[in-house]
Amino acid sequence: MTTDSNQTDAATATESTWQPRLALLVAATFFMEFLDGTILTTAVPSIASDFRVPAADVNITMTAYLVTVAMGIPLSSWLAERLGARRVFCLAIAVFTVASLLCAISQDLTMLTLSRVAQGAGGAMMVPVGTLVVLRGTPKSELLRATAFLVWPGLLAPVLAPMVGGALTTFLSWHWIFIINVPLGLAAFIAALRLVPKTAGDGKRRLDWFGLLLTTLGVGALVVGLETLGGHAPGSVAAVVVAAGVLSLAGAVWWMAKAKVPLFNLNVFGTRTFRATSTGGFIYRLTISSVPFLLPLMFQDGFGWDPLKAGVMVAAVFVGNIGIKPATTPLIRRFGFKTVLVFASLASAVTFALCAFLTAQTPEPVIFGLLLLSGAFRSIGFSAYASVQYADIIPEQLPSANAISATLVQLAAGAGIAVGALFLRLFDATHLFGADHVTAYKGAFLAMAVLMLVSTIDSLTLHRHAGAEVSAGASKR
């Protein structure tokens, strides 16, 4: 892994101080990528009407995008090492912007789907490469501040997507969902040329083709299987696809464990603070990813609210995310990662349980306040996991850790929707809590609360001083 180390040393020599503007630029590109993953949901009827196709057929544009992003992340990590992170990041922004324009001018569903694939390819490069650019130039003592910038897109995009997509589609047209990316992409490209430090690529870096094949096939199968389970009635085909994905990833792990030049350095899982990303952190992201899916459905299907009212109420989660953000870093500095992670997961589980007892008669200020708290706890946990996973990673392992983390984030988001949908169907079919629609949501939220407690248990096993170099960084300077 000497090439990783040399590349890291070169980058650090070029840019060794914390740059808020660079982190903000990367966060903005992430926001575009995350937002476009779900924003089309509210525009599906309009697109179907324009293209004269069934609304269900338009779902392929969302699936194609998410699958391409997930499958492209492993390759993008290698490209950043081979060609240089600055070059690949700028290329990613350019591809994403041009593809957005192609989406806007699409004349039929086929062109839109192919354009979404191209857009996903750009997004796949922006996610891990942009993070790598920021992390390489950030000392451990400033890692909390850096990740505070990088986590907000993942927090806000799923909540804002229905409102932004609905507003653009209602007052303009669905084309503007993509047109708006063009000026933003151009601005980001110009800013990237100025802010991203130049680093030389390693032209001799070999690619683990077999490891890449197994990994991309496994990730792609899992995303497709989870999308199928989350969007349609579960069946044997979806289960087989998910099983195939798991087997393929297991094969990739077996191969990379013995390969001389593996796609990823799996030794990163020997670091407990990073391993928390794939254990408690994965469960945490999965459960909170189900909330933007379950809440609007409960408000509309169970309470009889219109989409606008439901969207405004869900915005309380967004308000909680933003409102607590200035306090997340001081909280981690004061109490440490373990305490904060245990608190965030336990408090989130309590809010999920309370959501199960909401009814159409519950005063709206009470609902808003509960969702506000849920958003705040969500933000605290997200920030803590995003920081602690890199706290004890050595420089030469950073590219592998970053790519693995980005892949797990994509899988957790898809799994959250799928698991939420499965719980809904389970409790709707069994009538365990009653026969009406609202009781199915009650069961789903209670199940998610129990699942969140698994994350709490995992956090309790962390060392008391886990990630102390990062959490206490400010006081050591």
Side-chain angles (χ1 to χ4, degrees):
M1 302 301 294
T2 56
T3 53
D4 278 345
S5 182
N6 292 340
Q7 183 76 355
T8 302
D9 292 342
T12 305
T14 304
E15 191 61 52
S16 59
T17 57
W18 158 237
Q19 285 196 94
R21 290 189 301 169
L22 176 59
L24 186 60
L25 165 65
V26 173
T29 60
F30 286 6
F31 185 75
M32 290 194 297
E33 187 271 317
F34 288 136
L35 191 69
D36 276 47
T38 53
I39 195 172
L40 273 188
T41 304
T42 53
V44 166
S46 297
I47 296 174
S49 177
D50 281 2
F51 292 161
R52 294 182 175 85
V53 297
D57 291 355
V58 181
N59 287 334
I60 191 175
T61 62
M62 291 181 286
T63 301
Y65 178 85
L66 294 174
V67 170
T68 305
V69 170
M71 293 181 69
I73 288 174
L75 179 60
S76 65
S77 178
W78 176 82
L79 285 173
E81 296 300 300
R82 179 67 180 264
L83 304 177
R86 180 178 186 267
R87 183 179 299 173
V88 175
F89 185 61
C90 290
L91 175 64
I93 297 174
V95 170
F96 188 88
T97 304
V98 172
S100 296
L101 180 60
L102 293 175
C103 287
I105 63 175
S106 295
Q107 300 299 307
D108 53 44
L109 187 60
T110 300
M111 182 178 178
L112 179 59
T113 303
L114 293 175
S115 300
R116 287 282 281 174
V117 170
Q119 196 183 34
M125 290 186 288
M126 286 197 299
V127 173
V129 177
T131 302
L132 190 61
V133 167
V134 173
L135 294 179
R136 277 181 164 168
T138 303
K140 288 287 182 72
S141 61
E142 298 289 357
L143 189 58
L144 273 176
R145 294 178 63 192
T147 52
F149 280 78
L150 297 178
V151 299
W152 67 264
L155 288 167
L156 304 188
V159 179
L160 290 181
M163 290 187 292
V164 174
L168 291 174
T169 303
T170 301
F171 299 109
L172 296 170
S173 71
W174 64 265
H175 305 81
W176 282 89
I177 289 175
F178 302 108
I179 293 174
I180 197 172
N181 285 334
V182 176
L184 294 177
L186 288 173
F189 184 81
I190 295 171
L193 291 176
R194 297 185 59 185
L195 295 177
V196 179
K198 293 181 180 180
T199 54
D202 179 9
K204 296 181 180 180
R205 185 173 178 81
R206 293 171 55 193
L207 177 61
D208 177 11
W209 288 101
F210 191 60
L212 176 66
L213 176 65
L214 290 174
T215 302
T216 53
L217 288 178
V219 170
L222 274 181
V223 173
V224 171
L226 291 171
E227 281 287 300
T228 303
L229 288 173
H232 307 283
S236 57
V237 175
V240 168
V241 173
V242 170
V246 172
L247 288 175
S248 184
L249 288 178
V253 171
W254 171 80
W255 170 262
M256 285 185 278
K258 67 184 187 66
K260 292 183 179 179
V261 185
L263 180 67
F264 298 137
N265 181 357
L266 299 183
N267 290 332
V268 294
F269 287 108
T271 303
R272 179 63 181 95
T273 47
F274 179 80
R275 197 164 65 247
T277 302
S278 57
T279 52
F282 185 84
I283 297 297
Y284 185 86
R285 289 186 174 97
L286 183 155
T287 51
I288 64 173
S289 294
S290 69
V291 173
F293 167 75
L294 290 173
L295 282 175
L297 285 179
M298 182 176 73
F299 291 151
Q300 296 176 67
D301 184 41
F303 294 5
W305 292 2
D306 60 70
L308 179 60
K309 183 177 180 180
V312 170
M313 187 60 74
V314 174
V317 178
F318 158 75
V319 176
N321 289 337
I322 292 298
I324 198 64
K325 183 54 65 182
T328 54
T329 296
L331 284 172
I332 295 172
R333 299 279 196 211
R334 173 66 178 83
F335 298 103
F337 283 110
K338 178 178 179 177
T339 301
V340 169
L341 287 172
V342 170
F343 168 76
S345 56
L346 188 60
S348 295
V350 171
T351 60
F352 288 174
L354 292 175
C355 283
F357 296 96
L358 296 176
T359 67
Q361 289 71 46
T362 304
E364 291 176 12
V366 173
I367 299 176
F368 191 92
L370 176 59
L371 299 189
L372 189 77
L373 287 175
S374 181
F377 300 143
R378 184 173 184 257
S379 182
I380 293 171
F382 242 101
S383 298
Y385 272 117
S387 301
V388 75
Q389 64 184 349
Y390 300 117
D392 302 315
I393 292 294
I394 57 179
E396 56 265 29
Q397 292 181 344
L398 188 56
S400 294
N402 180 53
I404 292 171
S405 174
T407 303
L408 290 174
V409 168
Q410 291 290 329
L411 291 177
I417 296 174
V419 172
L422 286 175
F423 279 140
L424 276 182
R425 294 193 190 97
L426 174 65
F427 291 109
D428 191 43
T430 59
H431 303 304
L432 188 61
F433 294 98
D436 58 77
H437 286 305
V438 178
T439 54
Y441 292 99
K442 179 177 182 178
F445 274 112
L446 287 176
M448 283 298 177
V450 173
L451 195 58
M452 178 61 84
L453 292 178
V454 176
S455 175
T456 305
I457 294 171
D458 181 77
S459 296
L460 285 170
T461 65
L462 285 171
H463 189 274
R464 179 183 176 185
H465 301 294
E469 183 180 357
V470 171
S471 62
S475 60
K476 290 180 179 180
R477 286 179 295 165

